[in-house]
Amino acid sequence: MVVAIDGPAGAGKSSIAERCSAELGFTYLNSGAIYRAVTWKALELGVQDAPDERIVEIAQSLQLQYQGGKLLVDGEPRGDQLHTDRVDRHVARHSAIPAVREMVNRRLRQIADGVNVMVEGRDITTVVFPNADVKIYLDASVETRARRRWEQQRAQASENGGREDDTPTLEQIAERIRERDEADRKKAAGSLKQAADAVYLDTSLLTIDEVCERVIATIRNTRQYQELQS
Ligand code: DC
């Protein structure tokens, strides 16, 4: 069974998909992490500004494995290395390259073959799994998404012994989110849009628990899920 989730950056897709998939015993696939892995590798090799063909070569040669629900990139779980400012800065361009998207989509379909998966990203409900059993579009206002990111960065800074005041301001974060939304929506291939048959959920005024409850109820209500249980 395939549950596909799309939505803009910061709508809560990763937290929700991680938690709901664990509760249902599904494999969680984060497509953004694969795009980030391509950019991470390009940065490692110092070729992040190289022409598209070189980035495509990197994407094709990257070793990706899914083990126990964890993505291994060149044999290691790269975790935080995929979420640096440098990766953020280059991943929009790299993920807009059609041949890179084809590689990522192929890998996602291979990993999902024959297992129950919850996959999240920008074009999962429209391009990667247009026949998904459940489609969800998670949304939230720019202000909410900026505030969540701001709180997260301040918490991280104080955890790491840094100064909270050194983190970007709420307005700077909101501006970056607007730029990312714009980049996601105007991609020639795989742009962010809501599928006509997706369930729309605005998470602005909901807690993670409340969103999870609704997502899980939507899945449990489907014939496909009920058949899996019988
Ligand atoms: O969700 P994220 O911020 O980790 O995604 C990283 C980048 O990859 C971001 O620029 C959007 C892009 N992306 C995409 O183009 N298509 C997807 N299905 C998932 C992510």
Side-chain angles (χ1 to χ4, degrees):
M1 173 166 185
V2 175
V3 177
I5 304 180
D6 282 324
K13 298 183 302 292
S14 311
S15 318
I16 302 300
E18 202 168 357
R19 195 178 297 187
C20 296
S21 58
E23 198 161 326
L24 294 171
F26 280 31
T27 298
Y28 164 48
L29 296 180
N30 176 342
S31 60
I34 305 184
Y35 289 107
R36 287 175 179 275
V38 173
T39 297
W40 168 81
K41 184 74 185 197
L43 284 161
E44 285 285 294
L45 299 172
V47 297
Q48 63 277 8
D49 295 316
D52 290 2
E53 304 79 67
R54 181 77 183 103
I55 306 298
V56 173
E57 275 171 24
I58 288 170
Q60 282 163 348
S61 65
L62 197 62
Q63 277 188 45
L64 294 172
Q65 290 160 288
Y66 245 84
Q67 257 178 29
K70 287 257 171 283
L71 176 69
L72 303 185
V73 182
D74 280 356
E76 303 274 345
R78 303 285 168 183
D80 289 349
Q81 290 172 282
L82 304 183
H83 288 272
T84 60
D85 271 353
R86 298 179 72 213
V87 171
D88 275 354
R89 233 175 297 135
H90 296 280
V91 69
R93 173 172 89 87
H94 297 166
S95 66
I97 302 171
V100 170
R101 303 198 70 82
E102 278 161 30
M103 179 290 282
V104 173
N105 296 348
R106 207 169 39 244
R107 296 308 305 263
L108 289 168
R109 293 182 190 121
Q110 276 167 357
I111 300 167
D113 191 27
V115 287
N116 296 317
V117 286
M118 194 172 285
V119 197
E120 53 105 344
R122 306 291 192 285
D123 61 342
I124 308 301
T125 57
T126 52
V127 175
V128 189
F129 294 108
N131 299 319
D133 302 289
V134 177
K135 294 185 184 182
I136 293 174
Y137 189 90
L138 283 188
D139 205 358
S141 65
V142 170
E143 293 70 30
T144 304
R145 292 186 280 139
R147 178 161 295 278
R148 285 177 185 161
R149 185 83 189 114
W150 182 71
E151 283 168 358
Q152 200 182 27
Q153 290 197 344
R154 284 171 73 90
Q156 270 165 4
S158 78
E159 236 172 66
N160 298 335
R163 283 162 32 110
E164 290 179 4
D165 292 349
D166 291 340
T167 56
T169 64
L170 192 54
E171 193 34 55
Q172 283 167 332
I173 294 178
E175 196 42 46
R176 275 189 215 163
I177 287 182
R178 284 189 202 99
E179 284 164 14
R180 289 184 68 181
D181 284 358
E182 171 86 3
D184 282 341
R185 293 207 171 97
K186 67 173 201 231
K187 276 196 177 99
S191 62
L192 173 66
K193 44 186 173 292
Q194 187 188 334
D197 51 352
V199 174
Y200 179 87
L201 253 181
D202 187 330
T203 72
S204 303
L205 301 175
L206 300 174
T207 63
I208 292 185
D209 281 346
E210 289 168 331
V211 180
C212 271
E213 237 171 66
R214 291 175 199 203
V215 168
I216 286 180
T218 305
I219 297 167
R220 288 200 169 126
N221 259 330
T222 61
R223 182 182 43 79
Q224 291 90 333
Y225 184 81
Q226 288 159 14
E227 277 173 12
L228 275 183
Q229 305 306 305
S230 56

